[in-house]
Amino acid sequence: LDPQQASGCVDLSGTRDLSARQIFLFLDSLPSSVTELKLDSVAVSGPAKKRFVRFLNRLQEARENGTDAPRLTSFTFARHSFRRLADASEIFPLLLPFLETLSLSGNYLKGDGFAFLARSFIQGKASNLRLLDLSWTGLDRPKLGLLCKAFLQLAVKEQRLQVETLNLSNNQHLGDT
């Protein structure tokens, strides 16, 4: 696959035969026409996390400097992409400012993961987000409470929440207990 021929959406999930190094060689040569990206744990967790953070920093610098790089507006973490909490804590603040769409579906996030997400909203790092998919994330009432408090803080600061679609489906602990 020629990275320069990639346009629109690039899905590199399920690429178990590729190393993180190979994936990031490909990602580093993507054109600005790429707006959607889907990655799995091979590219975002464990040893690959450093490369992913470097990639996100490069995207941020490119936006600030007006240089060529993918203009991501949509990102999907494939199922089970997050293996450790530290992955979310470093990735959310760097990734969220770019996005209009974020899918975390199928990634179980602990309370701290939701706290990092909520903090990103409060800090204005998710101000462009229009669609947030939290299906199958292990969301329960206390974790939902963290997000609701963040959304309430935005309202108190008179900052408008941009999220138009919030998918909370298939989180069994949100039902009546």
Side-chain angles (χ1 to χ4, degrees), residues 6-104:
S7 65
C9 180
V10 173
D11 182 349
L12 294 177
S13 62
T15 54
R16 301 283 181 227
D17 293 334
L18 294 178
S19 69
R21 182 178 173 277
Q22 291 168 319
I23 290 171
F24 285 98
L25 282 172
F26 179 81
L27 291 177
D28 285 339
S29 59
L30 289 174
S32 60
S33 60
V34 174
T35 58
E36 300 178 46
L37 186 58
K38 182 176 182 178
L39 297 176
D40 63 14
S41 62
V42 172
V44 301
S45 292
K49 184 181 66 174
K50 280 186 181 180
R51 290 179 190 268
F52 187 52
V53 168
R54 204 171 339 154
F55 172 73
L56 294 175
N57 281 320
R58 186 178 73 79
L59 295 183
Q60 183 176 4
E61 288 174 16
R63 284 194 183 207
E64 290 169 358
N65 299 330
T67 56
D68 194 47
R71 302 291 182 203
L72 294 183
T73 58
S74 177
F75 195 93
T76 299
F77 288 96
R79 291 180 60 88
H80 310 296
S81 294
F82 287 122
R83 294 195 174 144
R84 296 181 320 195
L85 174 62
D87 296 334
S89 68
E90 290 185 67
I91 291 170
F92 285 165
L94 294 171
L95 181 62
L96 285 171
F98 304 129
L99 301 181
E100 293 177 13
T101 301
L102 174 64
S103 175
L104 293 164

